[in-house]
Amino acid sequence: MRVMVGRTAVDVADGATVLEAVRASGVDLPSLCHDDRLSPRGSCRTCLVRAASRIVASCTTPAAEGMHVELDDPAAQQAAKAAVELMVSELPARALEIPAERSELVRACTYFGITAGSFAGAGHDRGTDHSHPYVKLDRDLCIACGRCVAMCAEVQGTFALELTGRGFDTVVAAGDGGPWVSSPCVGCGGCVDSCPTGALSEPGLLDLTPITTTTTTTCGYCGVGCTLDVHTRDGTIAAITPTHGAPVNRGHACIKGRFAHTFTRADDRLIAPLVRRDGHLVETSWQEALTEVARRLAGIRDRHGPDSIAMISSARATNEENYLAQKFVRTVIGTNNIDNCSRLCHAPSAAGLTASFGLAGGTNPLDDLDRADCVLLAGANPTEAHPVVGARIKQQVLAGARLVVIDPRRTELAALADVHLQARPGSNVAVFNALAHQLIEDDLLAHDFLTERTTGLDDLTDLLQDYAPGTVANLADVRSADLIDAARTFGRAEHPVIIYGLGVTEHAHGTDGVRTLANLAILRGAVGTPGCCGILPLRGQNNVQGASDMGALPDVLPGYQPVTDPVLRDRFGAAWGRPVPERPGLRIPQMFDAAITGEVRALHVIGEDIAASDPNAGHVRAALQASELVVCHELFRSQTAEHADVVLPAASFLEKDGTFVNFDRRFQRVRPALAPPGSAATDFDILNRLASAMGADLGLPEPADAMAECASLTAVFAGISHERLDAEGPLHWPCRASDEPGEAVLHLNGFATPDGRAALAARPYLPPGEQPDAQFPHLLVTGRRLVHYNTGSMTRRTDNTALVPAETLEIHPADAAQLGVAEGAAVTITSRRGRTTLTAHLSRDVVPGQVFAAFHFPDAALNDLTSHHTDTVTGCPEYKVTAVRVQPAGQQPSASSIEADRPSPSPSDTGTVDIAGSRSGDR
Ligand SMILES: Nc1nc2c(c(=O)[nH]1)N[C@H]1C(S)=C(S)[C@@H](COP(=O)(O)OP(=O)(O)OC[C@H]3O[C@@H](n4cnc5c(=O)[nH]c(N)nc54)[C@H](O)[C@@H]3O)O[C@H]1N2
Ligand SMILES: Nc1nc2c(c(=O)[nH]1)N[C@H]1C(S)=C(S)[C@@H](COP(=O)(O)OP(=O)(O)OC[C@H]3O[C@@H](n4cnc5c(=O)[nH]c(N)nc54)[C@H](O)[C@@H]3O)O[C@H]1N2
Ligand SMILES: [Mo]
């Protein structure tokens, strides 16, 4: 509709407010209680204007077709100015010294011509709260506008803040009014970002020499893919703020993306290549380092054949870097031995979703969550691991959506759930089958959809006879009534969405978990149908979807095109000028086994700390030691770097150009905000330089060239280019042509399976690879915590450590009492493979018999404990189930219970079992 603002005509969308119309006309009308991300409150009276002949608060008044808005109406202006004057009369004049770009209040004063003389609050001394490393409160600057409180409630969903006190003494307080750092604040920065006066700020933000550059890029922590504005000053980061209006995060962020960036300039960041001389890593020149890697790789290739070299590419790196990595390995080395950490995380999603629906990605965009009336959350802890998604789920639940959580722990969302199935780790397939059984029992089925668009219903129905809730309740340690309730809650919803994580995939039967979960969406017709919300794997790393999409996998070329297909090999071979090797390569766990047996001689590892993050770390160390050559690209001297012969210093995501693909299949631009420190280089440049040291030319000098070549060879990415992403913003794949928008929702016109139908899977429950027994009676679940990230290499080098300085073992008070362990006591945790010591934290979020810890600290050494068991289909490790013994430290177990290292047995040694008889281990 068209609105007149003064003499300017502006076109605004239906439903726009008068304020939006004014802003669209280019006027920065002050509005101190308003934030686009919040519901309008209209309380501060600073945005008064005359519209349609009345004086109105522009932020709460809807614009109307043909409306005239007058900004210079004397009565409105006077009232607005008086409102601001009243506010500032209680503030100290230093409020006016804050740079205008950081203070809406300063801009409002300029707008109304209010000067320092009006500020009369110098006498107040309500003090500061600087207890939190990132959120700093100066109470005397608070105007009690309530925006911080609303951000915390409406956007973050944490409700940590409130306004306390009366009249002019009203001020924001966190939690029960104690120090901010001990409140439930999760450090998302939303309050800081919204504060109009600087009462809430972050270190370094207000004492500004002006910011020189702002770069819009994509966060390099988790797979949510938040768009961030990185503000730099003198070549270092001054602050990072979420980009307003960005499609995925909508102006929100989390403590990692928003604040945890000082690792970029950490003192121990690698700034020059290292080579091993006399057993020690010493700094050297690029020339010497690359010549050495080139010579030794070529030597190993020529003596032992190309398959004696294996590369692990990085889900932290860009698409372009991953594309280049697989091209390097396939053409310069001549092997398909390339994999990425998707193997450790969502390989079962790629396999399971492809088998069920034909494509390896989640089926719907996150935006569809806005429509969901039921969220089924299985084995995911998004308020810690994907916080922006976690917050969105909370908002949806607070707005009335039902929530079913399946997780052995009482996570934050589990505590909010209508039904929480606190199922035993490793019991997913039985639980999902029980839910499917009940959907059939209650006839909560999409009959037409099942007939027309699916296969496998009869076999599934047969199998499910054995999975009545009463039977499964026993096996999974949940109540049968809760299983029925969960099935009905999900089955009766009109727009259910399934969201899941590693609690489904990181199991000996992870792919079966994905398939049996997908069954639930299929039975309800909740995927591939108009208005559906689909099934969303919460992919972990910033670019784990992309690393796999780009073909950094042993069996597929870019776009999941099988390397065994001769036609595809010819196509890529012709474009690359070298034949593509025919035999599928090794997966990560197989690479380690092969290194130990001597089949693999060189490991080239890009941005993955395999010695810390892969399971059964003793076995990984043995593989590293057995290798003739270990090369790694790293930001820091990681545990893997300590085993390397050559370490090449890499640029971080804040120093790179390229793209990432987030968890809902969006290609998003990554742009360098900083120069890499010292002589560190992007993984892209490192690979190009190495290829040239080996006498090859990969033919892709710039990241944009790599994207273009990938698009030319891969139909599902054909429409994607840097140019287009810069012009149009993020694009979903499949995107088959440069004039196509990209498919946000998949399968609406048929599933991508060979027969075009969604495949229901009849999969029996099989027990986990490892079971507790008398010697190892506890079950260890490993996972994540909000403020740290994976091996912690980045977050441990930031002030996030002020919030979580070390790892703890969560143990139920009943178990602790039985063991004679008090809060804070040191406990030894022993598995069949290793031992570690942690501090006990008593918690009722875990059930008796189970303990939980995260793997963010090297001294926690959790992967010394985890096992070699992997998903029988994809080789994804069983990180979620490890049998351990917990004892007070000092009470040492006999060493004989720890197995000597040996190559892992080959997968798929498990047959089907009778589910009623399969229960083992008690708790
Ligand atoms: N803060 C933070 N965020 C991260 C990361 C990080 O390290 N820190 N890492 C990123 C990465 S790489 C990934 S892959 C994602 C992972 O994100 P998530 O998948 O959410 O992470 P986890 O905490 O490993 O596991 C999720 C949940 O699975 C539950 N679970 C364990 N066993 C079972 C089971 O048998 N059945 C069911 N139903 N649930 C089970 C656990 O109790 C846990 O709550 O997070 C990403 N985001
Ligand atoms: N016990 C247990 N272990 C687990 C898991 C679990 O749940 N439990 N989860 C598993 C999962 S899902 C994952 S994804 C893995 C993650 O395991 P990793 O991938 O090993 O962990 P990260 O800490 O993400 O980072 C890898 C390394 O890359 C470096 N790095 C960061 N950015 C770049 C870059 O741009 N270039 C280069 N060259 N290097 C870079 C970092 O410094 C870091 O050392 O851990 C797995 N390990
Ligand atoms: Mo992951």
Side-chain angles (χ1 to χ4, degrees):
M1 61 189 154
R2 174 150 291 198
V3 177
M4 292 301 294
V5 180
R7 286 203 189 86
T8 314
V10 290
D11 289 314
V12 291
D14 284 349
T17 60
V18 171
L19 180 64
E20 280 162 338
V22 173
R23 295 240 162 117
S25 79
V27 176
D28 187 18
L29 183 70
S31 59
L32 294 176
C33 69
H34 177 82
D35 185 311
D36 292 341
R37 294 161 293 188
L38 303 172
S39 54
R41 46 212 64 240
S43 61
C44 75
R45 322 312 280 171
T46 55
C47 67
L48 298 180
V49 294
R50 186 174 291 276
S53 318
R54 290 185 307 122
I55 294 181
V56 297
S58 61
C59 67
T60 48
T61 307
E65 175 66 44
M67 182 183 253
H68 280 263
V69 180
E70 290 164 48
L71 299 176
D72 49 8
D73 177 79
Q77 269 205 335
Q78 241 168 39
K81 181 176 181 184
V84 180
E85 278 174 332
L86 188 64
M87 247 178 252
V88 305
S89 70
E90 292 298 318
L91 299 187
R94 64 190 164 81
L96 210 51
E97 287 157 21
I98 293 171
E101 69 202 272
R102 299 281 139 217
S103 169
E104 289 177 36
L105 182 71
V106 170
R107 300 206 293 275
C109 288
T110 309
Y111 186 91
F112 292 116
I114 298 170
T115 56
S118 305
F119 286 71
H124 294 296
D125 190 8
R126 295 185 293 178
T128 58
D129 180 344
H130 287 185
S131 61
H132 193 282
Y134 300 124
V135 184
K136 308 291 185 187
L137 170 65
D138 180 341
R139 295 189 183 87
D140 289 342
L141 298 187
C142 179
I143 57 170
C145 65
R147 278 163 67 169
C148 53
V149 176
M151 280 300 288
C152 194
E154 291 180 25
V155 174
Q156 170 53 38
T158 295
F159 301 91
L161 309 185
E162 59 177 355
L163 293 177
T164 60
R166 286 164 170 272
F168 286 122
D169 276 333
T170 309
V171 67
V172 62
D176 53 13
W180 198 284
V181 71
S182 356
S183 77
C185 168
V186 292
C188 75
C191 56
V192 173
D193 198 28
S194 192
C195 179
T197 67
L200 285 167
S201 66
E202 62 189 277
L205 193 62
L206 299 185
D207 44 289
L208 277 196
T209 14
I211 277 167
T212 42
T213 317
T214 294
T215 309
T216 301
T217 189
T218 305
C219 184
Y221 281 108
C222 82
V224 173
C226 295
T227 310
L228 301 175
D229 289 338
V230 184
H231 312 285
T232 52
R233 182 203 293 147
D234 302 332
T236 57
I237 296 176
I240 296 182
T241 51
T243 309
H244 285 227
V248 181
N249 52 317
R250 300 179 180 169
H252 189 210
C254 83
I255 189 163
K256 295 179 294 304
R258 160 96 210 211
F259 294 116
H261 53 74
T262 51
F263 73 87
T264 52
R265 290 297 179 264
D267 290 341
D268 60 347
R269 182 81 194 266
L270 296 177
I271 53 170
L274 305 173
V275 291
R276 191 166 296 278
R277 297 284 177 254
D278 301 324
H280 299 284
L281 287 174
V282 294
E283 284 197 3
T284 185
S285 66
W286 275 99
Q287 164 87 27
E288 187 179 325
L290 289 172
T291 310
E292 174 155 342
V293 177
R295 179 178 52 76
R296 293 175 69 178
L297 278 179
I300 292 171
R301 178 194 60 197
D302 298 343
R303 275 193 318 271
H304 303 285
D307 289 340
S308 64
I309 296 172
M311 178 183 274
I312 296 176
S313 190
S314 181
R316 309 303 300 270
T318 61
N319 291 315
E320 294 73 7
E321 292 169 329
N322 278 285
Y323 182 81
L324 208 62
Q326 59 86 36
K327 183 174 180 183
F328 172 84
V329 164
R330 293 190 160 114
T331 61
V332 182
I333 307 291
T335 176
N336 285 311
N337 286 344
I338 180 164
D339 207 353
N340 76 83
C341 77
S342 173
R343 185 70 51 209
L344 312 181
C345 125
H346 275 281
S349 294
L353 295 174
T354 302
S356 294
F357 306 122
L359 283 174
T363 62
N364 287 59
L366 175 62
D367 315 59
D368 288 355
L369 178 63
D370 295 349
R371 206 179 30 242
D373 57 354
C374 173
V375 180
L376 174 62
L377 183 72
N381 183 16
T383 57
E384 302 208 49
H386 300 81
V388 165
V389 172
R392 291 270 288 279
I393 295 175
K394 266 203 261 183
Q395 300 306 343
Q396 198 61 17
V397 171
L398 292 170
R402 311 294 302 276
L403 176 64
V404 176
V405 173
I406 307 174
D407 197 301
R409 298 186 304 136
R410 188 180 54 183
T411 57
E412 186 184 355
L413 286 170
L416 269 185
D418 295 283
V419 192
H420 176 200
L421 297 174
Q422 207 159 4
R424 185 180 177 75
S427 66
N428 289 321
V429 173
V431 170
F432 302 155
N433 279 347
L435 299 181
H437 174 107
Q438 194 62 35
L439 292 178
I440 294 176
E441 179 75 26
D442 288 345
D443 195 22
L444 293 168
L445 303 177
H447 289 287
D448 292 347
F449 174 83
L450 286 169
T451 316
E452 287 155 25
R453 298 193 54 197
T454 70
T455 55
L457 183 60
D458 291 346
D459 287 349
L460 179 64
T461 310
D462 278 353
L463 175 94
L464 291 181
Q465 286 176 0
D466 292 341
Y467 290 84
T471 317
V472 171
N474 192 28
L475 180 141
D477 270 337
V478 292
R479 292 177 351 149
S480 147
D482 289 343
L483 284 167
I484 295 171
D485 195 8
R488 289 182 179 158
T489 305
F490 175 78
R492 288 174 184 161
E494 262 176 66
H495 301 289
V497 62
I498 296 177
I499 301 180
Y500 73 94
L502 301 180
V504 173
T505 57
E506 285 179 342
H507 285 288
H509 307 289
T511 304
D512 287 351
V514 173
R515 301 247 19 221
T516 47
L517 186 59
N519 283 346
L520 301 176
I522 302 172
L523 289 172
R524 293 289 306 133
V527 54
T529 49
C532 75
C533 302
I535 175 163
L536 284 178
L538 288 172
R539 302 295 310 240
Q541 300 270 41
N542 54 311
N543 197 35
V544 64
Q545 179 74 50
S548 302
D549 294 347
M550 293 298 118
L553 290 171
D555 51 347
V556 291
L557 293 158
Y560 304 92
Q561 307 183 77
V563 73
T564 45
D565 181 333
V567 177
L568 290 169
R569 274 204 312 277
D570 285 351
R571 241 184 108 210
F572 278 83
W576 290 346
R578 301 239 190 158
V580 174
E582 191 175 323
R583 186 157 66 114
L586 300 173
R587 298 166 167 183
I588 292 175
Q590 296 169 326
M591 290 177 186
F592 301 146
D593 293 347
I596 289 173
T597 60
E599 281 161 77
V600 160
R601 303 280 172 137
L603 285 173
H604 187 155
V605 185
I606 304 178
E608 184 170 323
D609 193 358
I610 54 173
S613 53
D614 277 75
N616 193 4
H619 184 67
V620 180
R621 285 190 293 266
L624 285 163
Q625 272 148 20
S627 300
E628 195 178 314
L629 174 67
V630 176
V631 181
C632 85
H633 305 196
E634 251 300 336
L635 312 187
F636 300 102
R637 274 177 83 140
S638 64
Q639 295 187 52
T640 307
E642 293 302 341
H643 289 272
D645 299 286
V646 184
V647 184
L648 303 171
S652 73
F653 75 93
L654 289 156
E655 301 148 353
K656 283 182 172 182
D657 177 38
T659 56
F660 293 153
V661 184
N662 81 334
F663 83 105
D664 72 357
R665 288 178 286 105
R666 274 179 243 229
F667 273 85
Q668 309 198 92
R669 281 288 270 133
V670 178
R671 301 183 181 92
L674 289 179
S679 73
T682 63
D683 294 301
F684 196 85
D685 287 345
I686 298 175
L687 286 162
N688 263 330
R689 288 186 213 167
L690 178 59
S692 107
M694 294 181 77
D697 180 358
L698 293 170
L700 302 169
E702 296 298 328
D705 304 326
M707 189 65 243
E709 183 176 289
C710 176
S712 73
L713 289 167
T714 314
V716 283
F717 310 138
I720 311 248
S721 66
H722 284 202
E723 210 182 356
R724 211 180 148 195
L725 293 168
D726 285 334
E728 297 174 33
L731 291 167
H732 286 273
W733 74 258
C735 179
R736 293 188 167 83
S738 57
D739 56 355
E740 273 182 17
E743 271 175 58
V745 183
L746 296 181
H747 313 304
L748 287 173
N749 302 316
F751 291 93
T753 46
D755 61 5
R757 289 167 169 255
L760 288 160
R763 286 286 180 279
Y765 163 81
L766 299 169
E770 185 156 283
Q771 304 271 17
D773 59 16
Q775 224 188 348
F776 300 100
H778 296 96
L779 209 153
L780 168 70
V781 176
T782 60
R784 286 154 174 79
R785 301 195 190 278
L786 171 68
V787 311
H788 286 294
Y789 194 79
N790 288 351
T791 63
S793 73
M794 288 147 78
T795 48
R796 280 186 287 103
R797 290 177 172 89
T798 68
D799 283 341
N800 286 29
T801 47
L803 296 168
V804 177
E807 189 46 49
T808 49
L809 182 78
E810 284 173 42
I811 180 168
H812 192 275
D815 284 349
Q818 206 184 9
L819 296 168
V821 166
E823 172 76 23
V827 287
T828 307
I829 307 126
T830 313
S831 79
R832 294 188 174 94
R833 291 148 300 273
R835 176 183 307 148
T836 191
T837 301
L838 287 175
T839 304
H841 171 53
L842 275 48
S843 164
R844 289 178 191 280
D845 295 340
V846 292
V847 300
Q850 294 173 20
V851 290
F852 176 83
F855 68 113
H856 309 310
F857 289 86
D859 55 357
L862 277 192
N863 282 322
D864 282 2
L865 308 181
T866 49
S867 78
H868 59 268
H869 294 289
T870 59
D871 174 36
T872 48
V873 178
T874 63
C876 176
E878 190 180 47
Y879 287 118
K880 298 294 185 247
V881 181
T882 306
V884 295
R885 176 168 64 246
V886 182
Q887 290 167 297
Q891 218 173 295
Q892 289 303 332
S894 64
S896 64
S897 58
I898 297 179
E899 290 168 3
D901 182 56
R902 54 176 170 73
S904 357
S906 60
S908 78
D909 47 5
T910 26
T912 43
V913 293
D914 160 24
I915 83 148
S918 64
R919 183 153 206 248
S920 56
D922 20 37
R923 57 163 151 103

